[in-house]
Amino acid sequence: MGKASPIILALDVAEHEKAIQIAESVKDHVWGYKLNWPAILGSGKQIISDIKKLNKPVIADLKLADIGNTLDLISQQVFAQGADYIIGQPFIGSEPFSIFDPKKLILVVEMSHPGATQFIQPLTEQFCSMAREMGVWGVVAPATRPDRVKQIRDWVGPETKILSPGVGAQGGTASETIQAGADLIIVGRAIYNTPDPKQAASCILEAI
Amino acid sequence: MGKASPIILALDVAEHEKAIQIAESVKDHVWGYKLNWPAILGSGKQIISDIKKLNKPVIADLKLADIGNTLDLISQQVFAQGADYIIGQPFIGSEPFSIFDPKKLILVVEMSHPGATQFIQPLTEQFCSMAREMGVWGVVAPATRPDRVKQIRDWVGPETKILSPGVGAQGGTASETIQAGADLIIVGRAIYNTPDPKQAASCILEAI
């Protein structure tokens, strides 16, 4: 591999052994790992430290959307397991996130599912301004529409990382998303739901 | 006790033994239990079935805010442990929640923390309409402002349960909240963070 991979593996696998096995097999083809509640419920919070042993960045994709006191109780346990970054929903306002080091925080500024048109997409510009003002490490913006990624890059500025899910199962393509301004692409089912996850990751990487 | 208690214990206790002990001690003074991520991270998802053994309703307060596929992966594991209801954030739109039986769903239509004024409170009426149209079992609305509970009762109609957190540590009073139209009140720290949780629950119950 010539240059660093921009792929984040979304490891939404509930079975502990299978999750570890897949994570290990794609180690050389990914930038890092994203663990969401399906994996944490399935294996317990220790899955975070288990994956962290592979010495890659680990993102806890918790979609945090609660009051500050609860976010504090949740994040203490998650950072104690070695998570590097935590993902929150800006809908709850900037105040509950003030307990975090912004350099460990990632905010979801746009979502790609059909329901996102109702309340989220009309607020994306405001979420981006909030993310920029807070100086968060990164934002999540879907790979399904490269024109939106480009627009979001303008709104968040050059310093904020853009992480784009929706490549593969949801229809986005990796190269278009990177060209539009994303720093990292999040791939889940198109890697972990294949007979050979390592091969699948390698193919996506080559296509970029 | 003459009539049924309207108290839901928000059991945000990470230590397994302590959580079980508190839950048992207040059993005769509560309607049911609410488990959020702090308890689930601390004890594993099995805390849900452990608490369910007390034969009271158990609400999984997950503040769900993700795409449908992820909600499915999460809720399958949580309902398999015996949870009766699951709490979601309506700002992701109605579509991701279509996978659920609405009679097991509770939506957060308003929040009480300072950050809620930014994006949530202006949308409360729309969230209430959505909850009513979906026919969800209940909504969450803060006890900190009884006038808002009254307004929300108008918006969601008479069939929808209103669950109100914010009694105690956040400043709301139980009797005012019930009078304003709430069916159930959610109490956390004012019960579990006291030397005698049973006594604390009993006092809150008497004050209603």
Side-chain angles (χ1 to χ4, degrees), chain B residues 187-205:
Chain B
V187 189
R189 288 167 275 177
I191 292 178
Y192 74 72
N193 250 358
T194 61
D196 187 344
K198 185 180 177 176
Q199 177 64 22
S202 171
C203 284
I204 295 168
L205 199 52

Side-chain angles (χ1 to χ4, degrees), chain B residues 50-126:
Chain B
D50 290 341
I51 297 296
K52 189 60 204 171
K53 284 179 193 144
L54 296 171
N55 283 316
K56 298 260 180 178
V58 172
I59 298 170
D61 183 9
L62 311 181
K63 300 284 193 304
L64 292 173
D66 216 315
I67 60 171
N69 180 64
T70 308
L71 298 201
D72 195 26
L73 296 174
I74 293 171
S75 60
Q76 277 178 26
Q77 297 190 61
V78 166
F79 283 128
Q81 293 292 325
D84 298 286
Y85 305 99
I86 203 161
I87 297 183
Q89 285 284 17
F91 60 73
I92 57 169
S94 53
E95 169 266 327
F97 294 112
S98 62
I99 57 164
F100 296 109
D101 173 358
K103 290 293 155 217
K104 289 175 172 291
L105 187 60
I106 299 167
L107 294 177
V108 181
V109 293
E110 181 150 300
M111 293 179 80
S112 56
H113 65 285
T117 55
Q118 261 179 288
F119 305 110
I120 291 176
Q121 286 171 10
L123 290 167
T124 296
E125 188 173 358
Q126 288 183 65

Side-chain angles (χ1 to χ4, degrees), chain A residues 45 72-81, chain B residues 14 37-39 41-43:
Chain A
K45 62 184 172 183
D72 195 26
L73 295 174
I74 293 171
S75 60
Q76 277 178 26
Q77 297 190 60
V78 166
F79 284 129
Q81 293 292 324
Chain B
W37 293 116
L41 281 169
S43 296

